[in-house]
Every structure is written in structure tokens, then in C-alpha cells.
Amino acid sequence: MSIKLTFPDNSVKEYDDGVTVEAVAKAISTSLAKKAVAGKFNGAFVGLQDSLTADGAIEIITKDSEDGLNVLRQTAAFVLAAAIKDLHPEVRLGEGQADEDGFFYDTDRDDGQLTIDQLPAIEAKMAAIVKEAPTIEKASLTKAEAKQLFANDPYKLELIDAIEGDTVEGFKLGDFFDFEEAVLLPSLKDLKHFKLLSVAGAYWQGKSSNPMLQRIYATAYYKEADLEADAKRREEAKERDHRVIGRDQDLFFVDPNVGAGLPYWMPNGATIRRVIERYIIDKELADGYEHVYTPVLMNLSAYKTSGHWEHYREDMFPPMDMGDGEMLELRPMNCPSHIQIYKHHIRSYRELPLRIAELGMMHRYEKSGALSGLQRVREMTLNDGHTFVALDQVQEEFKKILRLIMAVYEDFNISDYSFRLSYRDPKNTEKYFDDEEMWTRSQSMLKAAMDDLGLDYYEAEGEAAFYGPKLDIQTKTALGNDETMSTIQLDFMLPERFGLTYVGADGQEHRPVMIHRGIVGTMERFIAYLTEIYKGAFPTWLAPTQVVIVPVNLDAHMAYAKQLKEEMLKKGFRVELDSRNEKMNYKIRDSQTRKIPFTIVVGEEELNAATVSVRKFGQSKAEEMPANMFMDSVQAEINNFSRDGKHKRGEGSQLAD
């Protein structure tokens, strides 16, 4: 009896019923069999030794694929659990999992959690297990047997209860047994290059109401060179981590004891944020926006009308009952608030496009396990804006918004970005506003606008907002990851739901189109992005402190230093005078460590000649120059956004009309 297997190239071959995945690989080529680590049968992972007993689609998973790396890491997680139990039998095991960053395993014990100091011993035990080269075998237990085996582990017992049927399928390594749905390597000969990295708290199954376990993070590769490259990447990530830089430079802090996901901005961080906010507001005012302030609380009925309550409820905080029938909601979005601004007056076609902008504070119901520094928070301030236009103004307004975004990008020296048109998923329409005509019209308008601009873009189904398609501008982070920085969204739905109108030239009421746009996203995420891009060495125009003055002798040169400080303060510079009773070289090193753009030293020679000795951050040599020339150069850096002199404030890249 035979079965028919269909390969990725659509070729079909016959094999004996019960053929293993490994045998299929060998039949194709010896080289493929050597690289094979697993298979996929009808889309589901299968092991090399698994038998195939029906017709279906087959794919051989090799070491050089993402799926192959996932199999290696899942195997490493299994071995990690075995090593932990061998060294620490009292430890209770949660779940182990492979991901794009490596793998992890959750642990728990009564007499103190495992610490980072214990990782080398656990790693050594893993290496010893691998050196013995045992075979990992598939095994199955009845639920009763599994419960007896894990009688003292409430986490495993909970997982067992969630399994359907009476059998628990898993793997055995010597006396160690663990159950999981993943596919593992049949032997450990390829598990040679792994590294245990860190430990951190993690709620059981990601729920803050559950116990906090200790998660051990690790990674693994088939090649030593890949592991070494990963170590370098992680070191670079550590040096750029905005949470570390934020702590070292005293930019912000988050204290879970007073509110997880609620950052406190220290003076240095507040300065950076204030400069950006002033810049954005000035830029938008010059582009015809009217800036407003609106409350962070709104009647729940508004979010029911907008559809946020229906489509976004799980990301919203619970409503607050005011006791008189009024239900108030912390806003997750600013658009209903700006709609109220529009509705407050009767609008004429002569007012359109009507551009409303706000640095609007919003709140999202984020789980504790998802929170991360400034990148994922519960309170955020969005650089938000909404334009209300007539139908025939959509394309020109879209172009105008995109010009503004790209001009801002140029001022911040953001050049590595791409355009993504985000559409509704036609196969999963229930999570979107139900209006086929609206979606067809708005998606075609967005595409036509991009084609008219002559910009390259790619299309992504399933990435649209529930109320309309959007253009997402994807930037590269400091570590090369994609992140949505800016969005422009077309919306025919909310004007309809809120009954928005304007009086046209014909004296009749017409429905406007609403365009949602965010230039740099939230202040929190944008500053995290900039912190990591700049590695904490902020350009002069953004730096919390732009100049540090170091007098050589506190008695002899302090008066001149104070005079310079006063002159710079009058020019609007952010300047410090280091009057500590420390050695001069210590103060210079400290300024460099803090990544201050300019450190100037003033001594007897500088006092007599009205000069300063200037050391720019990152440079080892100082330059002597007249004090007024130095101040002019700092002013030029501020005016030109710390770029060369070719750029003037207010100028930016322009798209062709």
C-alpha cells in the first residue's frame, strides 16, 4: 500500500505507507538528509522518525531554516529543564518555549528563586548531558501516571488538566520526562552551541493575577560563529538599551510599587521631551494645524459610537461608574475627542481641510508582562492629528501630511524607512467595520495617492485599523528591527457614525472624510527610539545639557566661567557650571561619560584672551577658539538640528507636487 506526498514545488511522489520523514529526505538526496531535523506534514510539525500514513503535503525542515533553528531551541529548552531538575530536584517547572530571540524556561521554588549566579553550573550540566549524547525518545503517559509523576508541581498539573484525552504525549531523556507539543531533535549531537543569558520574573502564563515565576533566558545555534555574532548583537543591544541609558543619564524611571507602565520623567528626560514637543507643535502650526487640549476622560457612549468599545475593549481600562448613570472611560484614542471639537461649530466647505492636532494623553490596558521601559506603557502621549476634508481633497491632503512626516524625519536624521499600505484582511472581515463599499473606495484612494506620489511601497493585508486602511511608515530601530513610526489613515466610518457634516457651496450638507495621522507616534516610544539610535549621545539641539563649563581653578577662574554661563543662558543654551571641588581631568571625564556635546575648559590663558578650550564629545583633543565664535557654533548646531550648515531650521525634504 502506498501514499502520495506533495512537495513545496507541487511535485507528487509515491512512498510506502508508514515511511518516515527521514526516509523521505534520504530518498531525495543524502545531503538533504544530513541537514534535515524535522518535517511539516499538512502544515503541522512532525519528527524525523514519525511515520506518514496518509496522502498530504510534506516539507523537509533543515538546519539552515528558521523552523530548523526553532527545533534546535525547543530541544535546548527541554535539556535545560532536565539539567535544572538534576541539579535542583526541588524546583517546580512551568513551561519552556523557543522564540525568535532564543528560548526560555519558567521555574519556581520555595527557598528562593534560581539566580543568575547559578546559570554557569546549569549550563555546564547541559553540556555534560549533551556530551553523553543520549537519545531523546518519544514517550506517552496516562494522565494518571503524569499526575503522579508531577504530584508536587502545581504548574504541570494545571497543564495536564488542560490536555484533551486520557494520554499525555512527551519526550524522555534518561529518567527525565517532560510533555509538550513541539518537535525535538532525535539526538543531541547538534546541540553544541548554546548560552544561558539571564533571569527575570515572569507571571505564570502571562497573567498578573498568577504567581511570579523565575524565567531563565537562553539561546542556541547550530554554528559557533552564529552564537558569537549573537553575543555581539546582544552586547550592542545592552549598550543601546534605552532603559539602561535612561537610568544612567537620569532620564526617566518606572517604579512598579507606584504604578507599572507609568514612567516618571526626570529633569533630563523632561528636557528632551519638551524640546521635541515644542518642535512638533511649531512644525504643525506652520503647516496649518490648530492645536487643542481635550480631557483624558470621556463618556463611554462615545467609544460605543466610535466602535472602540466593540473592537478594542480588551485594551481599554474598565469604565468608571460616577454613581448617577454616567460612565466615564480613560481614553485609548484621541479621535472621538477631536470629533467633538469639529462638531462644536457648524462647519463650512470654506474651512476645509480643517486640521486639528494635540499632544494627547491616552491610556491602554497593558498586561504587566508586556510592559517595557518607554516602549510599552500604560499611559502615553500621542503626537496626534485629525484632518477633516471634502472627498476631492483627500489626495492633496494625504500628500501634504506625508511631506510633513518626511520633513520631520529629515530633521531627526531618520533615513532608513519604508512605506506599507495596510489593508483589511478579506478573509477575516468580522473584526473590521462592515462596509464593503467603504473599504473598496478607501483602499483604492490610498493606493492611488501613493502611486501619484511615485513612492515605493508594499501592501499588507490584515494590518488596517478596524475603521479604515492606512499608510504605515516602518522605520528601522538601532538593532535593525521594524517599527511603525508614523501612520496616515483614511476614515469614512467615524464621520458617518458621529453624523459629521459641512455645508457645501451648494448650501447642502455633505459628509467629510476624516484623516487620522501620527507624525512620530507617542512621545514615550519616540524618545526610546531616539535614545537607542543615538546611544544616549543626543545631538546638541536635543541634549538635556548642551555645554559644561569647567574652570581650571575655582578661585581664579570662577568669575569668567560664570560670565560665560550667563551669556549662554541668555542665548537659550542649556549649560552647567561644574563648581565641584574635584580635579579638572575628573570633571572632563565625567562630562564625556554623561555624553555632553561640548565641554569647555577655562583657565588663565582663556581668561586673558576671552577664549575657551573646547572638547567635543567623542573627541580626544581640545580646540582653542574665541568664546563668541564657540557660542555662534553652538547656535548654528541648534538652528541646523545638529547637522551641517546646508540645512536651515524649517527646511525639510519635499515630495514632488
Side-chain angles (χ1 to χ4, degrees), residues 524-591:
E524 289 75 13
R525 181 168 287 188
F526 187 54
I527 292 174
Y529 165 84
L530 293 177
T531 302
E532 296 186 352
I533 286 287
Y534 297 137
K535 216 171 183 177
F538 292 95
T540 304
W541 77 285
L542 283 177
T545 301
Q546 296 165 325
V547 181
V548 166
I549 304 172
V550 178
V552 174
N553 184 289
L554 293 181
D555 294 324
H557 309 125
M558 182 60 78
Y560 181 46
K562 287 182 177 179
Q563 175 192 331
L564 291 173
K565 179 180 178 181
E566 289 174 3
E567 290 181 27
M568 292 183 201
L569 288 174
K570 288 178 182 178
K571 291 179 178 293
F573 299 170
R574 297 185 289 276
V575 56
E576 292 180 9
L577 171 55
D578 194 336
S579 58
R580 293 176 296 172
N581 190 24
E582 299 283 355
K583 292 182 179 179
M584 181 184 70
N585 287 337
Y586 172 84
K587 295 179 182 181
I588 294 172
R589 285 196 304 272
D590 181 64
S591 181

Coordinates of all heavy atoms in Angstrom, one line a residue, residues 524-591:
E524 N 6.7 58.7 24.3 CA 7.4 57.7 25.1 C 8.2 56.8 24.1 O 9.4 56.6 24.3 CB 6.4 56.8 25.9 CG 5.9 57.5 27.1 CD 4.8 58.5 26.7 OE1 4.3 58.5 25.5 OE2 4.4 59.4 27.6
R525 N 7.5 56.2 23.1 CA 8.2 55.3 22.2 C 9.2 56.0 21.3 O 10.3 55.5 21.0 CB 7.2 54.6 21.4 CG 7.8 53.6 20.4 CD 6.8 52.7 19.8 NE 6.3 51.7 20.7 CZ 5.5 50.6 20.4 NH1 5.1 50.5 19.2 NH2 5.1 49.8 21.3
F526 N 8.9 57.3 20.9 CA 9.8 58.0 20.1 C 11.1 58.3 20.8 O 12.2 58.2 20.2 CB 9.1 59.3 19.6 CG 9.9 60.0 18.5 CD1 10.4 59.4 17.4 CD2 10.2 61.4 18.7 CE1 11.1 60.1 16.4 CE2 11.0 62.1 17.8 CZ 11.4 61.5 16.7
I527 N 11.0 58.7 22.1 CA 12.2 59.0 22.8 C 13.0 57.8 23.1 O 14.2 57.8 23.1 CB 11.8 59.8 24.1 CG1 11.3 61.2 23.7 CG2 13.0 59.9 25.0 CD1 10.8 62.0 24.9
A528 N 12.3 56.6 23.3 CA 13.0 55.4 23.5 C 13.8 55.1 22.2 O 15.0 54.6 22.2 CB 12.0 54.2 23.8
Y529 N 13.1 55.3 21.0 CA 13.8 55.0 19.7 C 15.0 55.9 19.6 O 16.1 55.4 19.2 CB 12.7 55.3 18.6 CG 13.3 55.4 17.2 CD1 13.6 54.3 16.5 CD2 13.6 56.7 16.7 CE1 14.1 54.5 15.2 CE2 14.1 56.8 15.4 CZ 14.3 55.7 14.7 OH 14.8 55.8 13.4
L530 N 14.9 57.2 19.8 CA 16.0 58.1 19.7 C 17.1 57.8 20.6 O 18.3 57.9 20.3 CB 15.5 59.6 19.9 CG 14.5 60.2 18.9 CD1 14.1 61.6 19.3 CD2 15.1 60.2 17.5
T531 N 16.8 57.5 21.9 CA 17.8 57.1 22.9 C 18.7 56.0 22.4 O 19.9 56.0 22.5 CB 17.1 56.8 24.2 OG1 16.3 57.9 24.7 CG2 18.2 56.4 25.3
E532 N 18.0 55.0 21.8 CA 18.8 53.8 21.3 C 19.5 54.1 20.0 O 20.7 53.6 19.8 CB 17.9 52.6 21.2 CG 17.3 52.2 22.5 CD 16.4 50.9 22.5 OE1 16.2 50.4 21.4 OE2 16.1 50.5 23.6
I533 N 18.9 54.9 19.1 CA 19.6 55.3 17.9 C 20.9 56.1 18.2 O 22.0 55.9 17.7 CB 18.7 56.1 17.0 CG1 17.6 55.2 16.3 CG2 19.5 56.9 15.9 CD1 18.2 54.3 15.2
Y534 N 20.7 57.1 19.1 CA 21.9 57.9 19.4 C 22.8 57.3 20.5 O 23.9 57.9 20.8 CB 21.4 59.3 20.0 CG 20.6 60.1 19.0 CD1 19.4 60.8 19.4 CD2 21.0 60.3 17.7 CE1 18.7 61.5 18.5 CE2 20.3 61.0 16.8 CZ 19.1 61.7 17.2 OH 18.4 62.4 16.3
K535 N 22.4 56.2 21.0 CA 23.2 55.5 22.1 C 23.4 56.4 23.3 O 24.4 56.4 24.0 CB 24.5 55.1 21.5 CG 25.0 53.7 22.1 CD 26.2 53.3 21.3 CE 26.7 51.9 21.7 NZ 27.8 51.5 20.9
G536 N 22.4 57.3 23.5 CA 22.5 58.2 24.6 C 23.3 59.5 24.4 O 23.2 60.4 25.2
A537 N 24.0 59.6 23.2 CA 24.7 60.8 22.8 C 23.8 61.6 22.0 O 23.9 61.7 20.8 CB 26.0 60.4 22.1
F538 N 22.9 62.4 22.6 CA 21.9 63.1 21.9 C 22.6 64.3 21.2 O 23.5 64.9 21.7 CB 20.9 63.7 22.9 CG 20.0 62.6 23.5 CD1 20.3 62.1 24.7 CD2 18.9 62.2 22.8 CE1 19.5 61.1 25.3 CE2 18.1 61.2 23.3 CZ 18.4 60.6 24.6
P539 N 22.1 64.6 20.0 CA 22.7 65.8 19.3 C 22.4 67.1 20.1 O 21.5 67.1 20.9 CB 21.9 65.8 17.9 CG 20.6 65.0 18.2 CD 21.0 64.0 19.3
T540 N 23.2 68.1 19.7 CA 23.2 69.3 20.5 C 21.8 69.9 20.7 O 21.4 70.3 21.8 CB 24.1 70.4 19.9 OG1 25.4 69.8 19.7 CG2 24.2 71.6 20.8
W541 N 21.0 69.9 19.7 CA 19.7 70.6 19.8 C 18.7 69.8 20.7 O 17.8 70.4 21.3 CB 19.1 70.8 18.4 CG 18.5 69.6 17.8 CD1 19.1 68.5 17.2 CD2 17.1 69.3 17.6 NE1 18.2 67.6 16.6 CE2 16.9 68.1 16.9 CE3 15.9 70.0 18.0 CZ2 15.7 67.5 16.5 CZ3 14.7 69.4 17.6 CH2 14.6 68.2 16.9
L542 N 19.0 68.5 21.0 CA 18.1 67.7 21.8 C 18.7 67.4 23.2 O 18.0 67.1 24.2 CB 17.9 66.3 21.2 CG 16.8 66.3 20.1 CD1 16.7 64.9 19.5 CD2 15.5 66.8 20.5
A543 N 20.0 67.6 23.4 CA 20.7 67.2 24.6 C 20.2 67.9 25.8 O 20.0 69.1 25.8 CB 22.2 67.4 24.5
P544 N 19.9 67.2 26.9 CA 19.4 67.9 28.1 C 20.4 69.0 28.6 O 20.0 70.1 29.0 CB 19.4 66.7 29.1 CG 19.3 65.5 28.3 CD 20.1 65.8 27.1
T545 N 21.7 68.7 28.6 CA 22.7 69.7 28.9 C 23.6 69.8 27.6 O 24.1 68.8 27.1 CB 23.6 69.3 30.1 OG1 22.8 69.1 31.2 CG2 24.7 70.3 30.3
Q546 N 23.7 71.0 27.1 CA 24.5 71.2 25.8 C 25.9 71.5 26.1 O 26.8 71.1 25.3 CB 23.8 72.2 25.0 CG 22.4 71.9 24.6 CD 21.6 73.0 24.0 OE1 21.7 74.2 24.5 NE2 20.7 72.8 23.1
V547 N 26.2 72.2 27.2 CA 27.6 72.7 27.4 C 27.8 72.5 28.9 O 27.0 72.9 29.8 CB 27.7 74.2 27.0 CG1 29.2 74.6 27.3 CG2 27.4 74.4 25.6
V548 N 29.0 72.0 29.2 CA 29.5 72.0 30.6 C 30.8 72.9 30.7 O 31.7 72.7 29.8 CB 29.8 70.6 31.1 CG1 30.7 70.7 32.4 CG2 28.6 69.8 31.4
I549 N 30.8 73.8 31.6 CA 31.9 74.7 31.8 C 32.8 74.2 33.0 O 32.2 74.0 34.1 CB 31.5 76.2 32.0 CG1 30.6 76.6 30.9 CG2 32.7 77.1 32.1 CD1 30.0 78.0 31.2
V550 N 34.1 74.0 32.7 CA 35.0 73.5 33.8 C 36.1 74.6 34.0 O 36.9 74.8 33.1 CB 35.6 72.2 33.4 CG1 36.6 71.7 34.4 CG2 34.6 71.1 33.1
P551 N 36.0 75.3 35.1 CA 37.1 76.2 35.4 C 38.3 75.5 35.9 O 38.2 74.5 36.7 CB 36.5 77.1 36.5 CG 35.4 76.3 37.2 CD 34.9 75.3 36.1
V552 N 39.5 75.9 35.5 CA 40.7 75.2 35.9 C 41.0 75.4 37.4 O 41.3 74.5 38.2 CB 42.0 75.7 35.1 CG1 43.3 75.2 35.7 CG2 41.8 75.4 33.7
N553 N 40.7 76.6 37.9 CA 40.9 77.0 39.3 C 39.6 77.7 39.8 O 39.2 78.7 39.2 CB 42.1 77.9 39.5 CG 42.4 78.2 41.0 OD1 41.7 78.9 41.6 ND2 43.5 77.6 41.5
L554 N 39.0 77.1 40.8 CA 37.7 77.6 41.3 C 37.8 79.1 41.8 O 36.9 79.9 41.6 CB 37.2 76.7 42.4 CG 36.7 75.3 42.0 CD1 36.2 74.6 43.1 CD2 35.7 75.3 40.8
D555 N 39.0 79.4 42.4 CA 39.1 80.8 42.9 C 39.5 81.8 41.8 O 38.9 82.8 41.7 CB 40.2 80.8 44.0 CG 39.8 80.0 45.2 OD1 38.6 80.0 45.5 OD2 40.7 79.4 45.8
A556 N 40.4 81.4 40.9 CA 40.9 82.3 39.9 C 40.0 82.5 38.7 O 40.0 83.6 38.1 CB 42.3 81.9 39.5
H557 N 39.3 81.4 38.3 CA 38.6 81.5 37.0 C 37.1 81.3 37.1 O 36.4 81.2 36.1 CB 39.2 80.3 36.2 CG 40.7 80.3 36.1 ND1 41.4 79.2 36.4 CD2 41.6 81.3 35.8 CE1 42.7 79.5 36.3 NE2 42.8 80.8 35.9
M558 N 36.6 81.3 38.3 CA 35.1 81.2 38.5 C 34.3 82.3 37.9 O 33.3 82.2 37.3 CB 34.8 80.9 40.0 CG 33.3 80.7 40.2 SD 32.7 79.3 39.4 CE 33.3 78.0 40.4
A559 N 34.8 83.6 38.1 CA 34.1 84.7 37.6 C 33.9 84.7 36.1 O 32.8 85.0 35.6 CB 34.8 86.0 38.1
Y560 N 35.0 84.3 35.4 CA 34.9 84.2 33.9 C 34.0 83.1 33.5 O 33.2 83.2 32.6 CB 36.3 84.0 33.4 CG 36.4 83.9 31.9 CD1 35.7 84.8 31.1 CD2 37.1 82.8 31.2 CE1 35.8 84.7 29.7 CE2 37.2 82.7 29.9 CZ 36.5 83.7 29.1 OH 36.6 83.6 27.7
A561 N 34.0 82.0 34.3 CA 33.1 80.9 34.0 C 31.7 81.3 34.2 O 30.8 80.9 33.3 CB 33.5 79.7 34.9
K562 N 31.4 82.0 35.2 CA 30.0 82.5 35.5 C 29.5 83.4 34.4 O 28.4 83.4 34.0 CB 29.9 83.1 36.9 CG 30.0 82.1 38.0 CD 29.8 82.9 39.4 CE 29.8 81.9 40.5 NZ 29.7 82.6 41.8
Q563 N 30.5 84.3 34.0 CA 30.1 85.2 32.9 C 29.7 84.5 31.6 O 28.7 84.8 31.0 CB 31.3 86.2 32.6 CG 31.1 87.1 31.4 CD 32.4 87.8 31.0 OE1 33.3 88.0 31.8 NE2 32.5 88.1 29.7
L564 N 30.5 83.5 31.3 CA 30.2 82.7 30.1 C 28.8 82.0 30.2 O 28.0 81.9 29.3 CB 31.3 81.6 29.9 CG 32.7 82.1 29.4 CD1 33.7 81.0 29.4 CD2 32.6 82.8 28.0
K565 N 28.6 81.4 31.4 CA 27.3 80.7 31.7 C 26.2 81.7 31.5 O 25.2 81.4 30.8 CB 27.3 80.1 33.1 CG 26.0 79.4 33.4 CD 26.0 78.9 34.8 CE 24.6 78.2 35.1 NZ 24.6 77.6 36.5
E566 N 26.3 82.9 32.0 CA 25.2 83.9 31.9 C 24.9 84.2 30.4 O 23.8 84.4 30.0 CB 25.5 85.1 32.7 CG 25.4 84.9 34.2 CD 25.9 86.1 35.0 OE1 26.2 87.2 34.4 OE2 26.0 86.0 36.3
E567 N 26.0 84.4 29.7 CA 25.8 84.8 28.2 C 25.2 83.6 27.5 O 24.3 83.8 26.6 CB 27.2 85.0 27.6 CG 27.8 86.3 28.1 CD 29.2 86.6 27.5 OE1 29.4 86.1 26.3 OE2 30.0 87.3 28.1
M568 N 25.5 82.4 27.8 CA 24.9 81.2 27.1 C 23.5 81.1 27.5 O 22.6 80.7 26.7 CB 25.8 80.0 27.4 CG 27.1 80.0 26.8 SD 28.0 78.4 27.1 CE 29.7 79.0 26.9
L569 N 23.2 81.3 28.8 CA 21.8 81.1 29.2 C 20.9 82.2 28.5 O 19.8 81.9 28.1 CB 21.7 81.3 30.7 CG 22.2 80.2 31.6 CD1 22.2 80.6 33.1 CD2 21.4 78.9 31.4
K570 N 21.4 83.4 28.3 CA 20.7 84.4 27.6 C 20.4 84.0 26.2 O 19.4 84.4 25.6 CB 21.4 85.7 27.6 CG 21.4 86.4 29.0 CD 22.2 87.7 29.0 CE 22.2 88.3 30.3 NZ 23.0 89.6 30.4
K571 N 21.3 83.2 25.6 CA 21.1 82.7 24.2 C 20.2 81.5 24.2 O 19.9 81.0 23.1 CB 22.4 82.4 23.6 CG 23.3 83.6 23.3 CD 24.6 83.1 22.7 CE 25.5 84.4 22.4 NZ 24.9 85.2 21.3
G572 N 19.8 81.0 25.3 CA 18.9 79.9 25.4 C 19.6 78.5 25.4 O 18.9 77.5 25.3
F573 N 20.9 78.5 25.7 CA 21.6 77.3 25.8 C 21.3 76.6 27.1 O 21.1 77.3 28.1 CB 23.1 77.5 25.7 CG 23.6 78.1 24.4 CD1 24.9 78.5 24.2 CD2 22.7 78.2 23.3 CE1 25.4 79.1 23.0 CE2 23.2 78.8 22.1 CZ 24.5 79.3 22.0
R574 N 21.4 75.3 27.1 CA 21.3 74.5 28.4 C 22.7 74.2 28.8 O 23.4 73.4 28.3 CB 20.5 73.3 28.1 CG 19.0 73.6 27.7 CD 18.2 72.3 27.5 NE 18.5 71.5 26.4 CZ 18.1 71.7 25.2 NH1 17.3 72.8 24.9 NH2 18.4 70.9 24.2
V575 N 23.1 75.0 29.9 CA 24.5 75.0 30.3 C 24.7 74.7 31.7 O 23.8 75.2 32.5 CB 25.2 76.3 29.8 CG1 24.5 77.5 30.4 CG2 26.7 76.3 30.2
E576 N 25.7 74.0 32.1 CA 26.1 73.8 33.5 C 27.5 74.3 33.8 O 28.4 74.2 33.0 CB 26.0 72.3 33.9 CG 24.7 71.6 33.8 CD 24.7 70.1 34.1 OE1 25.8 69.7 34.6 OE2 23.7 69.4 34.0
L577 N 27.6 74.8 35.0 CA 29.0 75.2 35.5 C 29.4 74.2 36.6 O 28.7 74.1 37.6 CB 28.9 76.6 36.1 CG 30.2 77.1 36.8 CD1 31.4 77.0 35.9 CD2 30.0 78.5 37.3
D578 N 30.4 73.4 36.3 CA 30.9 72.4 37.2 C 31.8 73.0 38.3 O 33.0 73.3 38.1 CB 31.7 71.3 36.5 CG 31.8 70.1 37.4 OD1 31.8 70.2 38.6 OD2 32.0 68.9 36.8
S579 N 31.2 73.4 39.4 CA 32.0 74.0 40.5 C 32.3 73.1 41.6 O 32.7 73.5 42.7 CB 31.1 75.2 41.1 OG 29.9 74.7 41.6
R580 N 32.3 71.8 41.4 CA 32.6 70.8 42.4 C 34.1 70.9 42.7 O 34.9 71.2 41.9 CB 32.3 69.4 41.9 CG 30.8 69.1 41.8 CD 30.6 67.7 41.2 NE 31.1 67.6 39.9 CZ 31.2 66.4 39.2 NH1 30.8 65.3 39.8 NH2 31.7 66.4 38.0
N581 N 34.5 70.6 43.9 CA 35.8 70.6 44.4 C 36.5 69.3 44.0 O 36.9 68.5 44.8 CB 35.9 70.8 45.9 CG 37.3 71.1 46.3 OD1 38.2 71.5 45.6 ND2 37.6 70.8 47.6
E582 N 36.6 69.1 42.6 CA 37.2 67.9 42.1 C 38.3 68.3 41.1 O 38.4 69.4 40.6 CB 36.2 67.0 41.4 CG 35.1 66.5 42.2 CD 35.5 65.3 43.1 OE1 36.6 64.9 43.0 OE2 34.6 64.9 43.9
K583 N 39.2 67.3 40.7 CA 40.2 67.6 39.8 C 39.6 67.9 38.4 O 38.6 67.3 38.0 CB 41.2 66.5 39.7 CG 42.0 66.3 41.0 CD 43.0 65.2 40.8 CE 43.9 65.0 42.1 NZ 44.9 63.9 42.0
M584 N 40.3 68.7 37.6 CA 39.8 69.2 36.3 C 39.6 68.0 35.4 O 38.6 67.8 34.7 CB 40.8 70.1 35.7 CG 40.3 70.7 34.3 SD 41.6 71.7 33.6 CE 42.9 70.5 33.2
N585 N 40.6 67.0 35.4 CA 40.5 65.9 34.5 C 39.3 65.0 34.8 O 38.7 64.4 34.0 CB 41.8 65.1 34.5 CG 42.9 65.8 33.7 OD1 42.6 66.6 32.9 ND2 44.2 65.5 34.1
Y586 N 39.0 64.9 36.1 CA 37.9 64.1 36.6 C 36.6 64.7 36.0 O 35.7 64.0 35.5 CB 37.8 64.1 38.1 CG 36.6 63.4 38.6 CD1 36.5 62.0 38.8 CD2 35.5 64.2 39.0 CE1 35.3 61.5 39.2 CE2 34.3 63.7 39.5 CZ 34.2 62.3 39.6 OH 33.1 61.7 40.0
K587 N 36.5 66.1 36.1 CA 35.3 66.7 35.6 C 35.1 66.5 34.1 O 34.0 66.4 33.6 CB 35.4 68.2 35.9 CG 35.3 68.5 37.4 CD 35.4 70.0 37.7 CE 35.4 70.4 39.2 NZ 35.5 71.8 39.4
I588 N 36.2 66.6 33.4 CA 36.2 66.4 31.9 C 35.7 65.0 31.6 O 34.9 64.8 30.7 CB 37.6 66.7 31.3 CG1 37.9 68.2 31.4 CG2 37.6 66.3 29.8 CD1 39.3 68.5 31.0
R589 N 36.3 64.0 32.3 CA 35.9 62.6 32.0 C 34.4 62.4 32.4 O 33.7 61.7 31.7 CB 36.8 61.7 32.9 CG 38.2 61.5 32.3 CD 38.8 60.2 33.0 NE 38.8 60.3 34.4 CZ 39.8 60.9 35.2 NH1 40.8 61.4 34.5 NH2 39.8 60.9 36.5
D590 N 34.0 63.1 33.5 CA 32.6 62.9 33.9 C 31.7 63.5 32.8 O 30.6 62.9 32.5 CB 32.4 63.6 35.2 CG 30.9 63.5 35.7 OD1 30.5 62.4 36.0 OD2 30.2 64.6 35.8
S591 N 32.0 64.6 32.2 CA 31.2 65.2 31.2 C 31.2 64.3 29.9 O 30.1 64.2 29.3 CB 31.8 66.6 30.8 OG 31.0 67.2 29.8

